[in-house]
Amino acid sequence: MGSKKNDGKQLAQNKKASHDYFIEDTYEAGIVLMGTEIKALRMGKANIGDAFATIRNGEMFIHNMHISPFEQGNRHNPTDPTRARKLLLHKQQIHKLLGQSKQEGYSIVPLKIYVRNGYAKLLIGLGKGKKQYDKRETAAKRDAQRDIQRVLREKQKVAR
C-alpha cells in the first residue's frame, strides 16, 4: 500500500516561536477537526503564527489557529476559522505540561502542523520566554555562524 502524497509533509510552521522562546520540550498532539478542515489543511491553508494552547478541565485546546474554509466545502464547513480546537494528548502528558506551564515565564507554544499516517498532528513545545538581550545574543550567534560558513566556502573555492 502506498503512502499519501503529503504524509509527513509540514503544512504550517510557527517561525516566531524559536525567536520568542527557548523550546525546552516538545510533544506531538492530534487535532480534532470538523468537516472539511483536513482538506483545507492539506492544501496548506493553515496559520499558527498567533496560536496558543491552554488547558481546561484536564483537556488541552489550541486557540487562534486559523484554518481557512475549504472552497468546495459543503454545509459541514465550520463557520469560525479561528475556533478553539481540542488537542489529543495522553493524560500524563497534559498533567506534566500543566505543572510545567504554571511556572513563571513558561508557555505552551504550537510549533508546526504536519500529517502522519493520514492524521493531522501538531507539534507543541514548552517554551520559556526570551528577554530582549537573549534575542540579540541569538542573532549575534547566527550572524557569526553565517560568517564562518562564508569563509569556509571561500577557502573551498580557492582550494579547487
Side-chain angles (χ1 to χ4, degrees), residues 144-154:
Q145 191 65 31
R146 193 178 307 131
D147 291 341
I148 291 170
Q149 291 299 324
R150 186 179 320 119
V151 169
L152 287 175
R153 265 187 268 123
E154 288 174 2

Side-chain angles (χ1 to χ4, degrees), residues 80-147:
D80 184 18
T82 59
R83 69 181 179 84
R85 293 169 178 88
K86 186 175 177 180
L87 297 179
L88 305 172
L89 286 165
H90 293 286
K91 194 177 287 191
Q92 304 93 303
Q93 291 175 326
I94 293 174
H95 290 309
K96 186 175 178 183
L97 276 170
L98 180 62
Q100 291 174 333
S101 67
K102 292 284 186 194
Q103 296 175 18
E104 186 68 29
Y106 282 91
S107 303
I108 302 169
V109 184
L111 301 175
K112 65 180 177 179
I113 300 175
Y114 54 94
V115 176
R116 175 178 287 169
N117 298 331
Y119 295 103
K121 302 289 183 178
L122 176 71
L123 187 69
I124 57 173
L126 182 70
K128 183 170 175 57
K130 284 186 181 178
K131 304 280 191 253
Q132 188 63 36
Y133 59 84
D134 290 330
K135 293 178 187 179
R136 284 194 294 264
E137 184 180 308
T138 303
K141 284 181 183 176
R142 185 177 56 239
D143 291 343
Q145 191 65 31
R146 193 178 307 131
D147 291 341

Side-chain angles (χ1 to χ4, degrees), residues 9 11 14 20 22-23 30 35-36 41 44-46 53 68 82 105-107 122-124 129 132 139 149 153 156-157:
K9 179 184 170 198
L11 303 174
N14 187 356
D20 293 337
F22 293 114
I23 304 300
T36 56
L41 260 181
K45 305 278 185 171
S68 299
T82 59
Y106 282 91
S107 303
L122 176 71
L123 187 69
I124 57 173
Q132 188 63 36
Q149 291 299 324
R153 265 187 268 123
Q156 285 178 349
K157 285 182 182 178

